[in-house]
Amino acid sequence: MMHPRGAKEFRIAIVGAGAVGCYYGSRLAANGHDVHFLMRSDYAHVRDHGLRVKSRDGNFHLDNVNCYRTPAEIGPCDLVIVAIKATANGALKTLLPPLLKPGTMVLTLQNGLGNESFLSEHFGAERILGGLCFVCINRTAPGVIEHTAQGLISLGEYQRSPMTRTHQLQQMLVESGIPSQVVSDLALERWRKLVWNIPFNGLSIAAGGVDVSEILRDPGLLQLARGLMQEVIDLAARLECPIPADFIDENMERTCGMGRYQPSSLIDFLAGRAVEVEAIWGEPHRLAVANGLNCGRLEALYLLVKAVSERNCRS
Amino acid sequence: MMHPRGAKEFRIAIVGAGAVGCYYGSRLAANGHDVHFLMRSDYAHVRDHGLRVKSRDGNFHLDNVNCYRTPAEIGPCDLVIVAIKATANGALKTLLPPLLKPGTMVLTLQNGLGNESFLSEHFGAERILGGLCFVCINRTAPGVIEHTAQGLISLGEYQRSPMTRTHQLQQMLVESGIPSQVVSDLALERWRKLVWNIPFNGLSIAAGGVDVSEILRDPGLLQLARGLMQEVIDLAARLECPIPADFIDENMERTCGMGRYQPSSLIDFLAGRAVEVEAIWGEPHRLAVANGLNCGRLEALYLLVKAVSERNCRS
């Protein structure tokens, strides 16, 4: 399946040219892969000026980026990387079909829960892979991506164990300068990531726009963050994704090292953009209700973040 | 104990000259009672210009208000009405002793839980009465109180059934144009009021500064308000204060009639003043924890309101 470096047989489409799509797509293209970017607002700028990545691992610039306004211009690919906001998933129903052929893999790098199942429902479960990105990146101007920390993608198959293709994809990522690991249970990894995202992304918005250091410094918010983590761990356990209790302490320690980090949802919120409320809080909350679990902290946080972010977008 | 109208034998002190203290104190004084106001920021203005009440029941003005800077100038009274913010309760330990003599009644008109027990602990349980105010009033300028709706005081004894003095006080209030009723179980009435105050005062702040109509209009906030009410009812039941489940619907209907009402905590918050976080949310939350009840929505709301209102005061 894989191709020698620089070959053009393996065609990759990037759907969603925000920070995540541009950053990972640029690394793949810089390594000689045949990458095609579906773009909206940045289309003309990137067509004329290329993509610039400012990275702590070294800056680079891509001239002559393959960028497009419609998926029909790209045509069928071997790999489609989905990196649009989960709030815009509805658009995938028309964006993806022109990119698909038998055997096309669809890898979602989106946040939260429900993205793989949405893609599976519309395009077939066998195509779907998921990747969890542990990375600090920001689109700071049209065609400009700033990469400040980390970069790992944890890669897994949707409701299946890893396959040969999973390991090949991982190798392709690693060869392109993207740290990557294959995970045996993608659902478990999503829950592990939610143990952090639910409290920290949520409280950063609900407490009025605070970074993670301010959450750690406020004894009440810290207590609430721990209570939320416990609810998420209890919910995950009910769904057969066991996470050990000391994962809470481990997360808190890791967070201490993040300094004044602003979670991605807070950055979206402060920029007046839609927040991925349903993927991060809504879907877990619905699973709690469906399984008869009383997750009151999660429910309160979900409904408050939803209310304030909707008001924020309207204003 | 009571005195004929206009007589001076029954000495009343008002501690805390915000909207509640000035409004009810003015009505008592206007009816000829011997009322003495302990004041801070409005002292000079009221000494020189009196108190003005703009009420939907008719405006009135009090000249020659008895106002003081220290309790020692007032001296022992028959009734002390406590109307300072619960956040300043610590000050009562020095403010109240000069006002007390054997038999002095102390009536707290403060919000939330813990005020009667605080007063009882420091000044003796036998003195203490509590009143729940159902009233929309605002101090709009120094010495100026605007009264826009309602006015009822529900009056009860602290951890006792009503006594002769309770009914006499009620009569004094009614004769002064203050609707009042005696309640047999003050603790139950406090919980009934919290069923409304906890969700509506809390969500109005936590959802980013919204009035009650905006909470009712947002399906998520409405769901959360109902969930919070249920937690408060469950907690009250555990503390032997039974409240029927249909009280939730009754409260929601009543709230529909309030229009764009801003709860008092939101008014404090928007003015940058301290919010009575512990009396309204903290004390109920501590009782839930002490009784092993999982009130996750209440905990989340408590800790969020605490965090945002502390940040708000600091800024």
Side-chain angles (χ1 to χ4, degrees):
Chain A
M1 185 192 80
M2 291 295 119
H3 61 100
R5 180 170 170 148
K8 291 280 183 179
E9 301 92 55
F10 191 76
R11 198 171 171 83
I12 302 171
I14 308 285
V15 177
V20 169
C22 285
Y23 174 71
Y24 289 114
S26 293
R27 289 225 173 265
L28 290 166
N31 193 35
H33 288 287
D34 183 26
V35 181
H36 302 265
F37 294 86
L38 185 64
M39 293 197 157
R40 283 199 312 186
S41 58
D42 288 4
Y43 171 78
H45 185 94
V46 173
R47 183 195 57 198
D48 298 342
H49 305 286
L51 278 165
R52 180 173 301 282
V53 175
K54 300 181 179 175
S55 170
R56 46 137 217 196
D57 302 333
N59 302 338
F60 64 94
H61 185 268
L62 283 184
D63 305 316
N64 304 320
V65 173
N66 301 317
C67 57
Y68 308 85
R69 282 186 183 283
T70 66
E73 298 168 75
I74 301 176
C77 292
D78 300 289
L79 171 65
V80 176
I81 295 180
V82 176
I84 62 170
K85 295 282 286 294
T87 50
N89 274 353
L92 295 174
K93 286 186 270 183
T94 52
L95 292 179
L96 253 51
L99 305 173
L100 302 180
K101 60 181 181 184
T104 301
M105 294 180 282
V106 176
L107 167 63
T108 165
L109 297 182
Q110 298 166 289
N111 276 323
L113 289 190
N115 299 304
E116 286 98 356
S117 63
F118 175 86
L119 292 168
S120 162
E121 192 183 316
H122 289 92
F123 309 110
E126 73 287 352
R127 300 184 184 280
I128 313 302
L129 298 95
L132 294 97
C133 305
F134 298 87
V135 65
C136 300
I137 39 183
N138 239 307
R139 172 190 166 285
T140 52
V144 182
I145 304 301
E146 208 138 357
H147 168 227
T148 51
Q150 306 181 68
L152 178 73
I153 296 182
S154 290
L155 202 64
E157 292 283 338
Y158 174 58
Q159 294 186 330
R160 283 177 304 271
S161 296
M163 301 155 66
T164 305
R165 70 177 189 184
T166 330
H167 293 281
Q168 288 173 329
L169 269 187
Q170 181 227 5
Q171 200 182 329
M172 182 183 85
L173 293 171
V174 169
E175 284 172 6
S176 301
I178 300 165
S180 177
Q181 62 183 14
V182 169
V183 296
S184 58
D185 186 341
L186 180 62
L188 174 60
E189 296 306 316
R190 288 242 173 256
W191 280 109
R192 286 172 63 91
K193 196 170 183 207
L194 284 171
V195 169
W196 194 89
N197 280 143
I198 283 178
F200 282 97
N201 287 43
L203 295 176
S204 70
I205 294 175
V210 297
D211 62 41
V212 301
S213 74
E214 291 170 287
I215 294 171
L216 293 178
R217 218 182 312 135
D218 181 310
L221 293 180
L222 185 59
Q223 176 189 343
L224 184 50
R226 297 185 75 96
L228 284 159
M229 286 183 170
Q230 192 58 58
E231 284 190 353
V232 178
I233 288 175
D234 292 345
L235 175 55
R238 177 70 64 96
L239 301 169
E240 292 174 17
C241 292
I243 299 172
D246 62 6
F247 191 57
I248 294 180
D249 286 334
E250 194 184 315
N251 261 289
M252 289 305 182
E253 257 172 60
R254 190 168 58 86
T255 312
C256 286
M258 291 186 188
R260 309 209 53 172
Y261 179 66
Q262 293 188 322
S264 59
S265 299
L266 176 60
I267 292 174
D268 285 337
F269 180 80
L270 295 176
R273 293 192 296 260
V275 172
E276 294 173 310
V277 174
E278 298 307 323
I280 299 178
W281 301 276
E283 195 58 26
H285 173 254
R286 275 183 287 281
L287 288 168
V289 171
N291 285 275
L293 234 68
N294 181 7
C295 293
R297 293 162 190 80
L298 170 59
E299 177 167 307
L301 188 62
Y302 163 48
L303 297 172
L304 282 170
V305 169
K306 186 172 154 77
V308 298
S309 59
E310 282 174 1
R311 283 185 81 218
N312 185 54
C313 280
R314 275 202 305 273
S315 66
Chain B
M1 183 192 79
M2 291 296 119
H3 60 101
R5 181 170 170 148
K8 293 279 182 179
E9 300 91 55
F10 191 75
R11 198 170 171 84
I12 302 171
I14 308 284
V15 177
V20 168
C22 284
Y23 175 71
Y24 289 115
S26 292
R27 288 223 174 267
L28 290 165
N31 193 35
H33 288 286
D34 183 29
V35 181
H36 303 264
F37 294 86
L38 185 64
M39 294 196 158
R40 283 200 311 187
S41 57
D42 288 5
Y43 169 78
H45 184 94
V46 172
R47 181 194 59 198
D48 297 342
H49 305 286
L51 279 165
R52 179 173 301 283
V53 175
K54 299 179 181 177
S55 169
R56 45 137 216 197
D57 302 333
N59 303 337
F60 64 94
H61 186 270
L62 282 183
D63 305 317
N64 304 318
V65 173
N66 301 317
C67 56
Y68 308 84
R69 283 186 181 282
T70 67
E73 298 167 76
I74 301 178
C77 291
D78 300 288
L79 170 65
V80 176
I81 294 180
V82 176
I84 63 169
K85 296 280 285 296
T87 50
N89 273 354
L92 294 174
K93 286 185 270 184
T94 51
L95 291 179
L96 253 51
L99 304 172
L100 303 179
K101 59 180 182 183
T104 300
M105 294 180 282
V106 177
L107 167 63
T108 165
L109 298 182
Q110 297 167 290
N111 276 323
L113 289 190
N115 299 304
E116 286 98 356
S117 62
F118 174 86
L119 291 168
S120 161
E121 192 183 314
H122 290 92
F123 309 109
E126 73 288 351
R127 298 185 186 279
I128 314 302
L129 298 94
L132 294 96
C133 305
F134 298 87
V135 65
C136 300
I137 39 182
N138 239 307
R139 171 190 166 286
T140 53
V144 180
I145 305 300
E146 207 137 357
H147 168 228
T148 51
Q150 305 180 71
L152 178 73
I153 296 181
S154 289
L155 202 66
E157 292 283 338
Y158 174 60
Q159 295 185 330
R160 284 177 303 270
S161 296
M163 301 156 67
T164 304
R165 69 178 189 185
T166 331
H167 293 281
Q168 286 173 329
L169 270 187
Q170 179 226 7
Q171 199 181 330
M172 182 183 84
L173 293 171
V174 169
E175 284 172 5
S176 301
I178 300 165
S180 176
Q181 62 184 12
V182 169
V183 296
S184 58
D185 185 341
L186 181 63
L188 174 61
E189 297 306 315
R190 288 243 174 255
W191 281 108
R192 288 172 62 91
K193 197 171 183 206
L194 284 171
V195 170
W196 194 90
N197 280 143
I198 284 177
F200 281 97
N201 287 44
L203 295 176
S204 70
I205 293 175
V210 296
D211 62 41
V212 299
S213 75
E214 291 170 287
I215 294 172
L216 294 178
R217 219 183 309 135
D218 181 310
L221 294 179
L222 185 58
Q223 176 189 341
L224 184 50
R226 297 184 74 96
L228 284 158
M229 286 182 171
Q230 191 59 57
E231 284 189 354
V232 178
I233 288 175
D234 291 345
L235 175 56
R238 176 70 64 96
L239 301 169
E240 291 174 17
C241 292
I243 299 172
D246 62 5
F247 191 57
I248 294 181
D249 287 334
E250 193 184 316
N251 261 287
M252 290 304 180
E253 258 172 61
R254 190 168 59 85
T255 312
C256 285
M258 290 186 189
R260 308 209 54 173
Y261 178 67
Q262 294 188 322
S264 59
S265 300
L266 176 60
I267 292 174
D268 285 337
F269 180 80
L270 294 176
R273 292 191 296 260
V275 173
E276 293 172 311
V277 174
E278 299 308 323
I280 300 179
W281 301 276
E283 194 57 27
H285 173 254
R286 275 183 286 281
L287 288 168
V289 171
N291 286 275
L293 234 66
N294 181 6
C295 293
R297 294 162 188 79
L298 171 59
E299 177 168 305
L301 188 62
Y302 162 47
L303 297 172
L304 282 171
V305 169
K306 185 172 153 79
V308 299
S309 58
E310 281 173 1
R311 283 186 81 219
N312 185 55
C313 279
R314 276 202 304 273
S315 64

